[in-house]
Amino acid sequence: ALCVFRIKMEIFEIQLGNSIGPVKLGMTETEVSNVIGAPNCIYGHRHHFLDGLMVDFDNEGRVEFIEAAVSELFSTTLLGFDVHRALATNVLERIQLEGNYDHSDPELGYSYVFKELQLSFWRPTLPDLEEGEGLYFQSVAIASEGYFE
């Protein structure tokens, strides 16, 4: 008999100005490892976890930036939306009720930075309805106060 085991996908809720899933801004490397396990790999200040969660540490060794990309291991929700599976336009409409994004961002269209919320979204391509590309965000990130200034 062939047995298929489905791993329940974790849901990481974004708490603006605070956390993505169990990882909180301001945590130490040890605290992060305690809640999420050891990193898959480390590049400088950036630690990679769970095939899609990137955590950047400041010079004091505390979390200053948390980014969640599309992952098979978890989904990321914000204000009730699955950020990577809801249409980008719908996500933006909802977030704009909370604050405005930086309209002078040179990467606008690819990235949307909400400085007052310390929140950003990114996608690698601009929307192309015919190709079906760029309709969803590939990553979402939150940061410590002042990070996006």
Side-chain angles (χ1 to χ4, degrees):
L2 180 66
C3 300
V4 178
F5 296 96
R6 288 192 73 84
I7 297 170
K8 182 181 167 291
M9 187 181 270
E10 292 277 337
I11 296 175
F12 288 172
E13 176 73 36
I14 297 175
Q15 303 289 336
L16 289 174
N18 182 38
S19 59
I20 294 183
V23 181
K24 292 182 168 52
L25 294 167
M27 276 183 162
T28 63
E29 290 183 29
T30 305
E31 289 171 325
V32 172
S33 292
N34 286 343
V35 296
I36 208 165
N40 303 114
C41 58
I42 299 174
Y43 296 105
H45 288 285
R46 174 163 281 206
H47 294 212
H48 292 251
F49 299 88
L50 300 177
D51 194 29
L53 192 70
M54 284 75 71
V55 179
D56 291 7
F57 293 89
D58 63 17
N59 294 330
E60 272 110 58
R62 297 197 170 269
V63 176
E64 67 173 353
F65 184 82
I66 309 167
E67 182 176 6
V70 177
S71 173
E72 298 289 308
L73 302 178
F74 63 90
S75 64
T76 310
T77 60
L78 175 61
L79 304 172
F81 282 96
D82 181 329
V83 177
H84 302 111
R85 290 170 185 84
L87 287 168
T89 50
N90 296 349
V91 174
L92 287 173
E93 270 174 26
R94 176 62 187 89
I95 305 301
Q96 285 180 93
L97 301 175
E98 309 297 320
N100 278 312
Y101 59 84
D102 177 5
H103 289 268
S104 65
D105 182 349
E107 297 282 303
L108 195 61
Y110 297 95
S111 72
Y112 292 85
V113 177
F114 292 80
K115 288 183 180 173
E116 59 197 292
L117 303 176
Q118 295 301 321
L119 171 71
S120 70
F121 297 95
W122 179 83
R123 59 186 167 197
T125 53
L126 293 174
D128 181 334
L129 297 174
E130 286 177 23
E131 298 292 320
E133 290 178 4
L135 302 180
Y136 302 91
F137 287 118
Q138 292 292 307
S139 81
V140 57
I142 63 166
S144 301
E145 199 57 53
Y147 184 90
F148 289 116
E149 294 314 316

